[in-house]
Amino acid sequence: MFDTVLVANRGEIALRVIRTLRRLGVRSVAVYSDADAGARHVRAADAAVRLPGGYLDAEGVVAAAKATGALAVHPGYGFLAENTAFARRCQQEGLVFVGPPPEAVEAMGDKIRAKETVAAAGVPVVPGGAEPADDLAEAARRVGFPVLVKPSAGGGGKGMLVARSPEELPEAVESARRTAQAAFGDATLLIERYVADPRHIEIQVLADAHGNVVHLGERECSLQRRHQKIIEEAPSPLVDDAMRSRMGADAVRAARAVGYVGAGTVEFIVSGDQPGHPAFFIEMNTRLQVEHPVTEMVTGLDLVELQLRVAAGERLPLTQDDVRMDGHAVEARVYAEDPSRDFLPTGGRVLSLAEPEGEPGVRVDSGIQEGTVVGSDYDPMLSKVIAWGPDRGTALRRLDAALRATTVLGVTTNIAFLRALLADPGVVAGDLGTGLIERRLGALLDGAYGPGGLPADVVSAAALILQDRLAGTAGDDPWDVPDGWRLGEPAWTTWPLSARDETAEVRVRGLPRRAASVAVDGATPASARLAGGPDALTGRGDALVTLDGLTSRFACAVSGGTVWLGRDGRTWAVTPHEPGDRGDRAGAGRAGDGVVRSPMPGTVLLVKVVVGERVTEGQPLLIVEAMKMEHTVTAPSDGLVAELPVRAGQPVDMDAVLAVVHDEAGESPAEPAPEGGTGAATVTGGS
Ligand code: ADP
Ligand code: ADP
Ligand code: MG
């Protein structure tokens, strides 16, 4: 085994690899970009080296390995994991790249070549066509619409777009090509027949350098949004022993076809409504996969340890007959995104963090800590919560409980949405499909956020915390309280509050910590009392709020005038504002004032209009990109483009003004948007 291993990655996967290194007694070296100085993975490793050029800085990684005496480099996933030039550089420098031989990565890294190679080995592939051999429009006509346009070098669902008709194809190709170039540096595309609502089932394979290849069974990853996995499980509720050995044999054949060594994943789609159909190969990921923990939990194996042993030249310690699957495991990916705002990426500083610890069958692979700043430079995945149970029902229940116990304040996440998804009847029944989320989106959002309105105890808690802080310096002496308390006739203080595009007016009277009254939106006042709350020093803590004798417990944090409250995996960022003003950033980018703002921090990718141009409502104005995802920003109304203060390539903050559209008379329309007015930003495709 290696003495020292460098981990060329960040976040949860770097931490996960370091964990195994520690268990094996191997010294670990982390690397970090300037944005990640002080990050969790840097502190967890035995040594850490700054990468001036960030995580894609191959030369920096090689130099760091030499400087620290590392003999092997584990690339995690993403970044340099599938970069054959880097793998070859490692070889040149006498470093072991913990991954397959460069030739295998090359053969599989390109979806077009991969399909050709495995098809020749007798593995079924989805019908399609590919550049440069085929004209995409002609190939699409041949296989029939709808078709899926894919970047050949793609990954993570990026840049994949469905074209339902010949008319839709040119735009899908244009956008897919742009994303492919930006995200993967390679604009080559392929098209495939779009299989309606398929199930994504993938096989984990493991090969050593002595010709042994085994598979570790399947994972089902059908719960996806825009081709990006959200929840994954092992085993698949669809797969029986016969199907498992059939798919396993295909996967092993695919791996052998490219001389594979190490851990890899062979991905298939299975038509949901034609169960007799074969599982079609779609691609092979020549690396550790995000969802590998579910396989680890049902097989009891440590895939990172096996990767290291194989890389060190050892034989696989097990044969196919030794592979056992026990129980069921489910993983949920926690993303910095806001499902209630069309899943736009969020960001911010983690003010307070709670993750389940030591619960039976629960594993948390997290990359964040209190103080972590989540920006737009990297993938928005913050952590993974994984639960095992002797049966699927237990695993799902444990996962839900673990998500309920996860609270991230300061950065909006998808946790409430994940919980709603786990409760979906189709999910509970194991009746999965890649279209499930889109189809059930309305119900899932209702389940996550309620059908409307802010819970009274949430806004009451926020108002009490704000009132208490107003009185804060005064301690307990009622005479010093600057507002809301006068001898003889206690006054009401009104807190107009907003959170998640909703508003509430909360009136508070009295001292929150002793005896107060709270009235929400004109309702009958309730007796109220606050215990705990944000700590004066750290700005965070637990708050107990009692309303008419009923106590609710929240995690809370205060920052920049916003009160963050969390309970059961749900969070609210409550902001006070002037009466009559919607106050929060919900107004950003909405129709009404003609000002179009950036829905997220990112970079302007493309400006599609010019100043003075006449536009119609909904017409694309610009494309903003964050985390390699494209977001089309559209005109809020008919009119003329009056201002366009940004240009392509320019980084923009959340809420930055991107354009101003005036009506024909040259005036900005005065009508304010209706409550909950629609944002002018829409997300396009899976790009
Ligand atoms: P899949 O690629 O099948 O979605 P994962 O979900 O394991 O597999 O993706 C792993 C991570 O690596 C994701 O965060 C994804 O965004 C990123 N990724 C995958 N392929 C690439 C690639 N070729 N280049 C850059 N990042 C990638
Ligand atoms: P990536 O490298 O981005 O992971 P994949 O080829 O693995 O790209 O596809 C990602 C997801 O898109 C799959 O998991 C599946 O849900 C969906 N998908 C891929 N190919 C097809 C297809 N031909 N028809 C329908 N859905 C598909
Ligand atoms: Mg894939």
Side-chain angles (χ1 to χ4, degrees):
M1 184 46 58
F2 310 103
D3 188 61
T4 302
V5 173
L6 183 142
V7 184
N9 215 299
R10 67 185 298 276
E12 66 88 16
I13 191 62
L15 281 149
R16 187 259 164 275
V17 175
I18 291 168
R19 213 154 45 231
T20 290
L21 293 173
R22 172 136 310 143
R23 190 173 60 71
L24 298 176
V26 175
R27 189 168 153 260
S28 54
V29 179
V31 288
Y32 60 94
S33 66
D34 287 342
D36 276 348
R40 237 178 107 178
H41 75 279
V42 177
R43 309 196 332 189
D46 294 313
V49 181
R50 171 177 170 258
L51 284 181
Y55 298 97
L56 289 167
D57 178 0
E59 285 313 311
V61 171
V62 169
K66 305 228 107 177
T68 53
L71 291 180
V73 177
H74 194 301
Y77 54 74
F79 297 126
L80 299 169
E82 289 160 288
N83 183 321
T84 49
F86 174 68
R88 291 203 166 95
R89 271 295 286 143
C90 287
Q91 261 174 8
Q92 259 172 25
E93 296 290 333
L95 295 167
V96 175
F97 175 78
V98 182
E103 298 73 33
V105 178
E106 251 151 25
M108 290 297 190
D110 165 1
K111 290 195 208 303
I112 297 169
R113 219 177 117 193
K115 283 176 73 176
E116 279 166 16
T117 309
V118 306
V123 179
V125 300
V126 194
E131 294 176 331
D134 296 304
D135 174 66
L136 294 183
E138 212 176 285
R141 247 192 320 279
R142 194 174 62 235
V143 301
F145 285 89
V147 295
L148 190 60
V149 184
K150 290 185 181 184
S152 186
K158 288 170 191 138
M160 296 189 10
L161 288 173
V162 181
R164 305 206 168 267
S165 63
E167 292 71 48
E168 284 183 21
L169 191 62
E171 202 179 319
V173 166
E174 182 207 351
S175 173
R177 200 179 295 291
R178 210 167 38 233
T179 309
Q181 186 62 49
F184 312 114
D186 177 349
T188 314
L189 302 178
L190 68 152
I191 62 130
E192 279 176 1
R193 176 183 299 157
Y194 184 62
V195 181
D197 198 15
R199 297 177 73 136
H200 173 116
I201 298 173
E202 60 187 32
I203 304 280
Q204 177 71 52
V205 295
L206 203 54
D208 65 22
H210 308 276
N212 304 302
V213 187
V214 299
H215 73 84
L216 305 182
E218 80 285 2
R219 296 183 284 261
E220 175 153 8
C221 318
S222 298
L223 294 175
Q224 306 184 347
R225 202 184 144 270
R226 300 186 190 281
H227 314 299
Q228 169 70 59
K229 299 157 188 167
I230 299 178
I231 288 179
E232 307 100 340
E233 60 184 287
S236 159
L238 185 74
V239 174
D240 57 17
D241 288 343
M243 187 170 175
R244 180 169 305 120
S245 31
R246 231 176 16 247
M247 291 181 70
D250 275 347
V252 167
R253 213 149 0 114
R256 284 197 190 281
V258 295
Y260 203 81
V261 177
T265 297
V266 184
E267 297 191 328
F268 297 89
I269 48 173
V270 180
S271 172
D273 48 12
Q274 290 161 296
H277 253 63
F280 288 121
F281 170 94
I282 48 173
E283 67 160 341
M284 178 169 187
N285 290 319
T286 53
R287 53 172 162 84
L288 200 62
Q289 196 102 329
V290 172
E291 57 275 19
H292 76 278
V294 293
T295 298
E296 296 188 321
M297 289 186 97
V298 296
T299 59
L301 299 168
D302 179 334
L303 284 171
V304 172
E305 175 181 351
L306 291 165
Q307 282 187 301
L308 291 164
R309 292 199 179 285
V310 164
E314 292 182 26
R315 287 178 174 276
L316 283 181
L318 75 176
T319 64
Q320 192 63 57
D321 287 343
D322 298 327
V323 178
R324 295 264 174 283
M325 290 173 87
D326 177 29
H328 205 101
V330 190
E331 171 184 281
R333 301 187 186 194
V334 176
Y335 283 110
E337 65 182 16
D338 188 350
S340 73
R341 301 189 68 221
D342 205 12
F343 296 85
L344 284 175
T346 59
R349 179 183 294 276
V350 178
L351 303 170
S352 151
L353 176 68
E355 293 177 323
E357 235 178 294
E359 298 294 323
V362 173
R363 164 173 169 181
V364 180
D365 283 16
S366 170
I368 54 169
Q369 61 192 357
E370 276 168 4
T372 298
V373 175
V374 180
S376 62
D377 295 345
Y378 301 116
D379 198 275
M381 196 178 79
L382 303 178
S383 69
K384 307 178 308 207
V385 183
I386 311 112
W388 179 90
D391 52 75
R392 186 170 186 269
T394 307
L396 287 173
R397 272 193 306 279
R398 284 180 170 172
L399 179 56
D400 185 59
L403 289 169
R404 204 185 325 137
T406 306
T407 311
V408 185
L409 300 185
V411 178
T412 296
T413 71
N414 64 338
I415 294 173
F417 183 80
L418 291 170
R419 293 197 60 209
L421 187 53
L422 289 174
D424 181 273
V427 174
V428 171
D431 199 1
L432 310 175
T434 60
L436 184 145
I437 290 179
E438 204 58 48
R439 217 169 34 246
R440 307 264 307 141
L441 197 55
L444 292 171
L445 291 172
D446 280 354
Y449 304 107
L454 293 169
D457 58 347
V458 170
V459 286
S460 299
L464 288 167
I465 288 169
L466 287 164
Q467 183 91 357
D468 183 51
R469 286 172 71 81
L470 204 63
T473 49
D476 275 342
D477 185 348
W479 294 102
D480 290 342
V481 175
D483 197 2
W485 178 270
R486 258 163 236 115
L487 194 65
E489 191 190 282
W492 290 94
T493 305
T494 303
W495 293 97
L497 300 175
S498 55
R500 193 168 282 125
D501 297 5
E502 314 241 24
T503 56
E505 194 172 86
V506 187
R507 294 188 305 137
V508 182
R509 181 170 67 175
L511 282 177
R513 291 189 181 279
R514 288 187 169 176
S517 303
V518 171
V520 178
D521 284 334
T524 316
S527 71
R529 198 179 166 124
L530 169 72
D535 181 87
L537 265 178
T538 63
R540 61 185 140 87
D542 277 336
L544 289 175
V545 173
T546 307
L547 295 174
D548 278 344
L550 226 88
T551 302
S552 317
R553 181 186 209 100
F554 296 94
C556 65
V558 176
S559 169
T562 296
V563 180
W564 286 81
L565 292 163
R567 179 179 59 195
D568 295 340
R570 290 188 181 197
T571 57
W572 295 265
V574 186
T575 311
H577 58 83
E578 294 299 310
D581 167 19
R582 281 167 47 90
D584 62 356
R585 60 164 315 284
R590 74 177 194 264
D593 56 4
V595 178
V596 179
R597 294 172 189 275
S598 180
M600 69 213 174
T603 305
V604 177
L605 200 62
L606 205 70
V607 181
K608 295 195 155 209
V609 291
V610 293
V611 172
E613 187 171 333
R614 175 162 300 139
V615 292
T616 53
E617 186 180 335
Q619 179 179 335
L621 300 177
L622 312 98
I623 295 177
V624 179
E625 182 223 55
M627 296 160 176
K628 307 274 185 259
M629 301 229 301
E630 289 187 6
H631 302 267
T632 302
V633 178
T634 58
S637 61
D638 293 357
L640 292 174
V641 178
E643 286 172 46
L644 208 53
V646 293
R647 58 188 159 67
Q650 181 177 331
V652 287
D653 290 333
M654 176 134 128
D655 285 344
V657 175
L658 301 176
V660 179
V661 175
H662 285 173
D663 68 13
E664 296 285 345
E667 293 290 317
S668 156
E671 270 299 290
E675 289 294 294
T678 52
T682 53
V683 180
T684 53
S687 49

